[in-house]
Amino acid sequence: MPPPLHHVVPMPANVSMQSTRWFTLPAEAQILVEPSTPQVVEVAEHLAAVLRPSTGYALPIAAPAAGVPRGSVRVRLDPSGPAAGGDEAYTLDITDTSVLLVARHPSGLFRGIQTLRQLFPASIEARTRERGPWRLRLARIEDAPRFAWRGAMLDVSRHFFDVDDVKRYIDLLAKYKLNVLHLHLSDDQGWRIEIASWPRLTEYGSTSSVNDERGGFYTQAQYREIVAYAASRYITIVPEIDMPGHTNAALASYPELNCDGVAPPLYTGIKVGFSTLCVDKEITYTFVDDVVRELAALTPGPWIHLGGDEVEKLTDEQYARFVERVQDIVAKHGKQMVGWEEITKARLAPTTLVQQWRGGGEKATAAAAAVAAEAVRQGTRLIMSPASRVYLDMKYDATTALGLNWAGFVEVRDAYDWDPVTLYPGIAERDVLGVEAPLWSETLVTIRDVEQMAFPRIAGVAEIGWSPAEWRRFDEFRQRLALHGPRWERLGVHYYRSPQVPWPREE
Ligand code: TNX
């Protein structure tokens, strides 16, 4: 029997008790932090920030005094708590008199408050005072993620999204317990991160975008701000500098990176595969070393993504040698490399991660399976992003205005109804580090466009990453998902009203 919690996405791993009785949040409720360390208080503040505007309650954050006042919400860090499930595991006990959230690590507390907010009525998400009553069904939830990497990728190169847009996306990802945001920071159409040792990358290479609609870049200070914002939501930023292909913006900025020493013009189209760094010149490796060194210094997370996709201008041998050299550069700067699946043509370190992206549906599945098998043979772990399942830039159906369709249409069911381990033969649970939903922005100009493509599909991807495979059924999921429509409306999220989901008319 699947856990019968009808609102929560992703579905919790284990709901060991559920009653028809209610806990009611009283107006004088407190949020008790145990202990009152800065990280626990920060999580409690996140919870208070959700609950205060809609309830109108003061919800002071306090250290527990003698006894637990009725109606308290207790947020407790307990390093001796259950070890199973890793740092993000938590338990949530809702009794008639209190709510108790326990985790070994603050990230578990943060994941737990996402569950708690979803257990309240949708109007809890409003930023205006709402009526209540603010009730929760009595329950005991023991929850932990299936996969360690539950990611989303945002392409800020084809069109640029500013710091506030990225923060908004981070907030939306956090609600669904995603824990990785991969930023695609460079491509043919624009370079988006300040690199002090190569200033023309942004002075010149950031000024273009697809159709010249939206260029720009992050200063290093702005990038740090994004990293810190994500970290406070227990989301790791994985920066990507795509190479050796997808580099026109860099090649246009520095003639010496080109084999013929001539800088091409900036590029505003959407074709792929035509550009490459000059892999036989030493300056190319000086360039990569500088970029990786600066990026590694700005990035606390363990990973640097170096792309590696869709290179048409090199032989396999040239390509493999390049990948092996840049893999060493990433290691030298203390990070682990991530690359798109093409990097399996090279000899990979066991710590390198391979992001599988082609196939997923009928098309090209044999080739995708072969790549996945090669990654496993080399002892590297996989991040699964099969295009015909989780490319959020694919149109939902023939009527979708935004997006592309080279991998087919991707409706809510397609994005949900597959499994990262069984999609291709010969892959075991331990070979898969997780799942990630890329959002390429050739056709997306505003954050509204991004939301329209991401929601609701990304909630399904989040569930694939978090919830036990054995309970997942699309027919049940779509009922639960439907209840998130009213939440997104409260939050001003532009989402696609898929005909596959039984959206409620009014709450
Ligand atoms: C393929 S996926 C690409 C991107 C495009 C995307 C559009 C991958 C590694 N490369 O360059 O933006 O398709 O869907």
Side-chain angles (χ1 to χ4, degrees):
M1 256 263 294
L5 272 183
H6 300 303
H7 325 53
V8 181
V9 176
M11 176 197 290
N14 193 353
V15 180
S16 55
M17 188 281 286
Q18 197 179 209
S19 144
T20 52
R21 302 208 320 276
W22 300 94
F23 163 89
T24 303
L25 187 74
E28 65 281 4
Q30 300 185 358
I31 300 178
L32 302 179
V33 283
E34 310 169 31
S36 55
T37 55
Q39 283 180 315
V40 181
V41 171
E42 195 189 358
V43 173
E45 291 285 3
H46 274 291
L47 177 62
V50 176
L51 302 180
R52 279 176 189 147
S54 44
T55 62
Y57 301 164
L59 296 168
I61 293 167
V68 175
R70 234 186 129 72
S72 313
V73 178
R74 303 162 68 189
V75 178
R76 179 195 291 166
L77 191 68
D78 181 358
S80 65
D87 283 353
E88 295 177 285
Y90 68 90
T91 60
L92 186 60
D93 272 293
I94 301 164
T95 69
D96 338 87
T97 53
S98 72
V99 173
L100 173 62
L101 171 62
V102 183
R104 288 168 65 94
H105 187 273
S107 60
L109 295 177
F110 188 82
R111 303 298 174 237
I113 67 171
Q114 308 312 319
T115 303
L116 182 55
R117 72 194 285 180
Q118 290 187 15
L119 292 170
F120 282 107
S123 49
I124 202 76
E125 300 293 347
R127 301 297 77 191
T128 47
R129 185 157 181 179
E130 302 290 312
R131 227 177 301 117
W134 305 107
R135 303 193 302 175
L136 304 167
R137 291 271 190 207
L138 309 195
R140 174 169 170 82
I141 298 170
E142 291 154 286
D143 202 6
R146 177 180 175 197
F147 292 113
W149 180 302
R150 304 178 308 280
M153 188 212 81
L154 185 62
D155 172 7
V156 298
S157 175
R158 273 54 178 270
H159 288 100
F160 181 64
F161 298 95
D162 65 23
V163 174
D164 286 343
D165 287 344
V166 176
K167 286 182 175 173
R168 173 158 170 94
Y169 202 49
I170 287 170
D171 276 327
L172 296 175
L173 301 176
K175 291 185 208 319
Y176 292 92
K177 302 187 174 77
L178 293 170
N179 65 354
V180 169
L181 175 61
H182 163 185
L183 289 175
H184 186 74
L185 291 168
S186 70
D187 211 300
D188 292 321
Q189 296 86 348
W191 185 283
R192 307 295 180 211
I193 176 76
E194 176 190 11
I195 300 294
S197 52
W198 294 75
R200 256 181 78 77
L201 291 170
T202 46
E203 284 165 12
Y204 182 65
S206 77
T207 58
S208 49
S209 72
V210 168
N211 298 333
D212 260 337
E213 284 158 327
R214 214 172 165 191
F217 69 94
Y218 309 119
T219 64
Q220 295 201 351
Q222 287 174 321
Y223 176 82
R224 282 188 204 275
E225 187 184 333
I226 291 170
V227 166
Y229 193 84
S232 72
R233 283 133 185 92
Y234 299 94
I235 290 177
T236 301
I237 297 292
V238 176
E240 177 186 356
I241 300 295
D242 203 347
M243 61 181 75
H246 292 269
T247 41
N248 191 78
L251 297 168
S253 305
Y254 285 99
E256 59 268 43
L257 297 176
N258 297 268
C259 285
D260 61 4
V262 179
L266 293 170
Y267 182 68
T268 60
I270 65 167
K271 273 206 326 272
V272 295
F274 62 88
S275 59
T276 180
L277 295 172
C278 188
V279 298
D280 298 324
K281 273 187 172 176
E282 260 332 281
I283 181 107
T284 295
Y285 300 94
T286 307
F287 168 75
V288 175
D289 192 85
D290 287 338
V291 169
V292 172
R293 174 173 39 77
E294 291 194 33
L295 212 47
L298 295 168
T299 305
W303 300 290
I304 302 267
H305 201 309
L306 289 188
D309 56 315
E310 300 175 317
V311 184
E312 289 169 8
K313 293 289 157 65
L314 299 176
T315 65
D316 280 0
E317 210 219 328
Q318 281 178 310
Y319 174 84
R321 253 191 295 126
F322 174 84
V323 169
E324 288 159 19
R325 273 192 81 171
V326 300
Q327 178 176 251
D328 289 344
I329 291 172
V330 173
K332 177 179 129 193
H333 294 292
K335 301 291 181 185
Q336 291 166 234
M337 187 174 83
V338 189
W340 297 106
E341 66 180 41
E342 287 93 326
I343 65 166
T344 51
K345 289 183 200 158
R347 246 175 308 144
L348 301 177
T351 51
T352 292
L353 301 177
V354 173
Q355 187 164 12
Q356 199 285 310
W357 66 274
R358 285 177 292 199
E362 304 298 304
K363 274 195 257 167
T365 295
V371 166
E374 175 58 15
V376 170
R377 192 193 67 76
Q378 294 211 36
T380 55
R381 298 183 80 193
L382 289 160
I383 299 161
M384 298 298 287
S385 302
S388 34
R389 297 296 184 166
V390 294
Y391 265 32
L392 301 182
D393 60 315
M394 291 300 121
K395 290 177 184 290
Y396 292 93
D397 64 21
T399 68
T400 314
L402 301 167
L404 305 174
N405 63 7
W406 65 263
F409 298 126
V410 178
E411 247 295 359
V412 176
R413 180 175 196 138
D414 303 304
Y416 182 80
D417 217 355
W418 65 284
D419 188 85
V421 173
T422 58
L423 186 63
Y424 305 124
I427 297 176
E429 187 88 12
R430 68 154 303 281
D431 299 325
V432 177
L433 187 59
V435 60
E436 183 178 299
L439 188 38
W440 302 97
S441 63
E442 285 93 334
T443 65
L444 313 178
V445 182
T446 66
I447 194 70
R448 283 177 73 117
D449 296 344
V450 166
E451 290 172 12
Q452 180 82 26
M453 298 309 275
F455 288 85
R457 290 180 289 195
I458 200 158
V461 180
E463 180 150 308
I464 292 172
W466 183 281
S467 306
E470 64 263 44
W471 303 134
R472 295 204 294 109
R473 303 281 180 279
F474 182 69
D475 257 334
E476 186 278 330
F477 172 69
R478 66 197 195 102
Q479 314 285 337
R480 246 179 320 118
L481 183 64
L483 301 174
H484 288 247
R487 289 174 190 272
W488 296 332
E489 281 153 33
R490 295 323 194 280
L491 294 162
V493 175
H494 298 276
Y495 68 101
Y496 164 61
R497 288 184 67 87
S498 166
Q500 296 184 338
V501 180
W503 307 106
R505 233 177 283 142
E506 265 302 292
E507 255 262 306

